[in-house]
């Protein structure tokens, strides 16, 4: 089964479905840059394979592309997110491993002075008294990390220590092994910079939900195993959004540190939080900018006919209630929502951790609110590969391997849309650093909608799937037909989403902010 051809994009706005489309274009943007590239990503792995024919002429990985770009005289200013070293040691280590490799790529170029790369950890911290209460758990987490390194025969302890700079103070050397220190009390970081965007020559913006590593590479055909699928959407934009994005990249760290107030950026939508002024008991940062949340609450209230959403999560109960209010107020309003059948840690790692269960609890609650309000005017779908699967876990749905959805797209009628790095959960809409663009040109919205619809439906598409009055019923009928058919006989990827597994698995955590997950 092959995706149908996509519509042509305008010069000023292009949509890339999955890394299969986005990565080659991202590489070409680097190759076309004339003066400077400024970018910030949650994950940016320089060992990621290159894919475009043009980039493959100069090397095999992004290490080669970075060195080549610098050697051409183009400067690169790259910010990579750093993570809580105790609770996310693998991500913390990955960041510093990437920093080291990118610095080496700079040295391999003829212009190492044109490279600025640094790790950025959000400055908000869990309060001292709360950290003291959590000390037994954090000590156990450090011991788990130590045990993993000590039992890995391929681990190089010196290298590991060099790549976990903010964990080292809680570790000690025991000859050829590591141990965990009881003191000092570890700091805990409840927030991250979750954005993914790049500005080229003050002329072009590349933005959306897609980071850079080989795990995130997938194609629109989704022919990989379930745990290797990764559906994402990235867009490129020319216009006033570019200058605002650059200003955001230049200021977001100072905003989170409380050095400056957030600048007015009318052409970019953000989530920004900052470190609290007083911090003894807090688990949360100080909320600062909630433009992405504000937009969604306002846009649903303005909507008249059909809302289309793709999101990794829908866990924001307050947002679900805003949708419900709009549905009750306007009997003509309909909703199509595309979600993964399960979170990636639950589907592929069989996680039963408290945060995973709390996230599923909130999603089941939010979905229930939506379904009760919209009734038969809502369709919630999940994508699955067109091959059979007999795995007993949540990595399958209706007898087929799931396709993991990581995209963040919201389209309200034919009038406004947003593509961003923000999921529809409290963390993305209140805490983490996020960035997105509002799309208001009718032809751009039509192009985005057509790309999204045709990607999932693939074949047998007629006007009923696009007609606001008929779309929900058309999508629902297609999903039900697919659910009844053998996976290999299905039309497109969509089957019905079921919240029953989330309801069974989910568990409330009283006292824990919803924004934690």
């Amino acid at each position: 089964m092959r995706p149908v051809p996509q519509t042509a994009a305008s010069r000023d706005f292009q949509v890339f479905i999955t890394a299969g489309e986005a990565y080659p274009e991202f590489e070409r943007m680097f190759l076309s840059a004339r003066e400077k590239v400024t970018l910030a990503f949650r994950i940016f792995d320089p060992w990621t394979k290159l894919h475009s024919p043009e980039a493959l002429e100069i090397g095999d990985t992004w290490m080669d592309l970075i060195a080549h770009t610098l050697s051409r005289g183009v400067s690169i200013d790259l910010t990579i997110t750093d993570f809580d070293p105790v609770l996310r040691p693998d991500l913390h280590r990955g960041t510093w491993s990437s920093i080291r490799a990118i610095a080496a790529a700079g040295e391999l170029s003829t212009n190492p002075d044109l490279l600025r790369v640094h790790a950025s950890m959000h400055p908000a911290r869990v309060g001292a008294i709360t950290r003291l209460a959590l000390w037994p758990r954090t000590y156990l987490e450090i011991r788990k990390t130590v045990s993993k390194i000590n039992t890995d025969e391929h681990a190089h302890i010196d290298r590991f220590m060099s790549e976990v700079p903010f964990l080292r103070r809680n570790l000690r050397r025991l000859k050829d092994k590591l141990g965990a220190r009881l003191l000092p009390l570890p700091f805990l970081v409840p927030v991250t910079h979750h954005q993914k965007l790049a500005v080229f020559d003050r002329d072009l913006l590349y933005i959306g939900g897609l980071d850079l590593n080989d795990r995130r590479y997938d194609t629109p055909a989704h022919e990989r195993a379930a745990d290797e699928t990764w559906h994402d959407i990235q867009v490129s934009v020319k216009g006033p959004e570019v200058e605002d994005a650059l200003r955001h990249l230049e200021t977001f760290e100072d905003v989170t540190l409380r050095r400056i107030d957030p600048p007015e950026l009318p052409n970019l939508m953000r989530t920004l939080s900052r470190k609290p002024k007083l911090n003894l008991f807090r688990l949360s940062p100080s909320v600062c900018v909630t433009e992405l949340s504000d937009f969604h609450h306002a846009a649903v209230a303005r909507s008249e006919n059909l809302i289309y959403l793709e999101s990794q999560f829908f866990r924001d109960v307050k947002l679900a209630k805003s949708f419900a209010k709009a549905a009750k107020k306007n009997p003509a309003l309909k909703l199509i929502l595309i979600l993964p059948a399960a979170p990636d840690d639950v589907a592929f790692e069989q996680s039963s951790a408290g945060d995973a269960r709390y996230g599923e609890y909130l999603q089941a609650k939010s979905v229930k609110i939506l379904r009760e309000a919209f009734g038969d005017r809502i369709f919630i779908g999940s994508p699955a590969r067109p091959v059979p699967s007999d795995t007993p876990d949540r990595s399958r749905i209706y007898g087929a391997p799931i396709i993991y959805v990581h995209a963040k797209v919201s389209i309200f009628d034919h009038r406004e849309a947003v593509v961003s790095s923000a999921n529809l959960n409290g963390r993305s809409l209140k805490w983490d650093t996020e960035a997105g663009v509002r799309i208001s040109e009718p032809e751009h919205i039509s192009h985005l909608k057509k790309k999204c619809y045709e990607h999932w439906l693939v074949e047998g598409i007629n006007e009923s799937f696009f007609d606001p009055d008929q779309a929900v019923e058309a999508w629902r009928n297609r999903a039900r037909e697919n659910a009844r058919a053998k996976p290999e006989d299905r039309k497109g990827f969509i089957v019905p989403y079921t919240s029953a597994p989330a309801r069974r698995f989910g568990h409330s955590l009283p006292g824990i902010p919803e924004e934690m997950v």
Side-chain angles (χ1 to χ4, degrees):
M1 179 171 58
R2 297 181 180 275
V4 298
Q6 306 291 354
T7 58
S10 74
R11 182 179 62 85
D12 294 338
F13 179 77
Q14 296 186 69
V15 180
F16 310 116
I17 304 287
T18 74
E21 291 185 358
Y23 281 5
E25 291 301 321
F26 193 28
E27 294 160 14
R28 294 182 184 107
M29 292 173 193
F30 264 79
L31 290 169
S32 300
R34 302 179 303 276
E35 297 179 0
K36 185 175 183 179
V37 182
T38 307
L39 59 166
F41 280 76
R42 180 176 181 266
I43 294 174
F44 194 99
D45 181 358
W47 296 112
T48 303
K49 297 180 182 68
L50 297 172
H51 294 275
S52 66
E54 300 92 328
L56 286 169
E57 289 183 3
I58 58 97
D60 299 317
T61 71
W62 272 81
M63 285 278 287
D64 302 306
L65 182 55
I66 290 168
H68 176 80
T69 302
L70 294 168
S71 294
R72 291 196 300 110
V74 177
S75 62
I76 298 175
D77 187 341
L78 169 60
T79 303
I80 306 177
T81 298
D82 200 1
F83 299 87
D84 186 305
V86 174
L87 300 180
R88 306 303 298 269
D90 290 344
L91 289 172
H92 176 57
R93 185 184 185 186
T95 294
W96 287 95
S97 177
S98 294
I99 294 286
R100 171 186 283 177
I102 292 167
E107 293 300 323
L108 291 172
S109 77
T110 57
N111 294 305
D113 55 305
L114 295 181
L115 173 66
R116 177 181 180 264
V117 57
H118 74 287
S120 181
M121 185 182 289
H122 197 287
R125 300 288 182 266
V126 172
I129 293 177
T130 304
R131 283 191 292 126
L132 187 61
L134 294 172
W135 189 17
R137 184 199 165 181
T138 55
Y139 178 66
L140 288 176
E141 291 294 330
I142 295 170
R143 289 190 62 179
K144 283 199 302 187
T145 299
V146 165
S147 177
K148 182 179 178 181
I149 296 299
N150 287 340
T151 56
D152 184 353
E153 62 182 24
H154 301 293
H156 298 279
I157 290 177
D158 290 336
R159 180 166 183 172
F160 173 78
M161 292 286 277
S162 72
E163 293 175 345
V164 289
F166 295 109
L167 186 60
R168 280 200 299 263
R169 66 179 193 156
N170 296 107
L171 304 175
R172 57 193 175 98
R173 290 296 297 264
L174 301 169
K175 293 185 179 180
D176 59 343
K177 291 189 178 295
L178 289 177
R181 292 183 184 275
L182 282 169
L183 292 173
L185 191 67
F187 65 81
L188 298 174
V189 187
V191 200
T192 66
H193 302 305
H194 191 252
Q195 60 197 348
K196 311 101 180 359
L197 70 161
V199 173
F200 297 84
D201 297 326
R202 308 179 85 100
D203 177 61
L204 178 68
L205 170 62
Y206 172 84
I207 191 169
L210 186 61
D211 280 302
L212 183 77
N213 69 1
D214 287 328
R215 165 66 184 96
R216 284 156 174 78
Y217 185 80
D218 195 8
T219 68
H222 299 297
E223 294 173 332
R224 299 159 71 92
D227 62 351
E228 296 177 351
T229 58
W230 194 276
H231 171 74
D232 229 320
I233 293 181
Q234 204 81 358
V235 298
S236 66
V237 182
K238 291 189 174 185
E241 297 88 351
V242 179
E243 199 66 34
D244 280 3
L246 183 59
R247 179 67 175 150
H248 166 70
L249 289 171
E250 294 169 343
T251 60
F252 78 90
E253 289 177 287
D254 284 335
V255 172
T256 61
L257 284 163
R258 288 188 174 272
R259 291 173 179 165
I260 63 172
D261 291 329
E264 293 291 329
L265 303 176
N267 302 294
L268 192 77
M269 288 189 289
R270 301 160 290 173
T271 301
L272 285 169
S273 63
R274 55 199 345 182
K275 67 177 183 178
K277 289 182 178 179
L278 299 174
N279 191 21
L280 289 176
F281 297 96
R282 293 184 69 125
L283 275 170
S284 61
S286 177
V287 175
C288 181
V289 176
T290 58
E291 292 162 348
L292 283 159
S293 177
D294 297 343
F295 169 79
H296 279 84
H297 283 277
V300 68
R302 291 190 291 263
S303 297
E304 298 177 354
N305 299 310
L306 178 64
I307 301 170
Y308 175 86
L309 308 173
E310 292 185 18
S311 183
Q312 182 184 9
F313 310 121
F314 197 124
R315 297 174 175 175
D316 190 323
V317 175
K318 291 180 181 178
L319 184 61
K321 290 179 178 178
S322 283
F323 274 75
K325 181 179 179 181
K328 292 172 183 176
K329 183 178 179 180
N330 178 7
L333 186 61
K334 299 178 175 64
L335 172 63
I336 295 173
L337 171 60
I338 307 300
L339 294 169
D344 58 344
D345 55 347
V346 175
F348 309 132
E349 301 170 21
Q350 289 73 55
S351 173
S352 59
D355 57 347
R357 299 187 68 182
Y358 189 35
E360 285 286 78
Y361 165 81
L362 291 173
Q363 181 149 307
K365 183 176 180 179
S366 298
V367 166
K368 181 180 179 182
I369 291 169
L370 294 175
R371 283 180 164 155
E372 288 179 348
F374 281 90
D376 62 1
R377 293 178 287 138
I378 186 174
F379 167 70
I380 307 179
S382 293
R385 295 189 57 227
V387 295
S389 170
D390 58 1
T391 58
D393 53 40
R394 291 182 65 189
S395 66
R396 74 166 180 166
I397 183 172
Y398 291 101
I402 73 171
I403 295 169
Y404 192 65
V405 177
H406 191 263
K408 300 95 167 59
V409 175
S410 303
I411 306 174
F412 298 90
D413 293 333
H414 59 281
R415 297 180 301 179
E416 53 190 341
V418 62
V419 176
S420 75
S421 59
N423 296 304
L424 301 180
N425 60 345
R427 171 171 283 279
S428 281
L429 298 178
K430 293 293 174 64
W431 284 14
D432 284 351
T433 304
E434 309 280 7
V437 289
R438 179 178 177 180
I439 303 157
S440 55
E441 292 291 331
E443 63 269 28
H444 295 169
I445 295 172
S446 294
H447 176 58
L448 174 63
K449 184 180 291 187
K450 189 171 177 61
K451 288 271 289 190
C452 292
Y453 283 28
E454 291 181 346
H455 172 73
W456 293 129
L457 298 169
V458 180
E459 58 185 284
I461 307 170
N462 56 49
E463 279 304 310
S464 66
F465 289 96
F466 291 87
D467 186 325
D469 293 328
Q470 304 178 67
V472 166
E473 184 177 2
W475 281 71
R476 183 189 296 121
N477 290 341
R478 168 65 63 86
R480 287 174 175 172
E481 290 170 5
N482 283 343
R484 291 191 293 266
K486 294 179 180 179
E488 59 270 28
D489 295 333
R490 293 171 179 171
K491 295 181 179 179
F493 299 112
I494 289 297
V495 295
Y497 171 83
T498 172
S499 59
R503 289 198 307 271
R504 291 192 296 266
F505 179 77
H507 183 72
S508 180
L509 293 177
I512 300 299
E514 293 183 6
E515 291 82 4
M516 287 290 291
V517 295

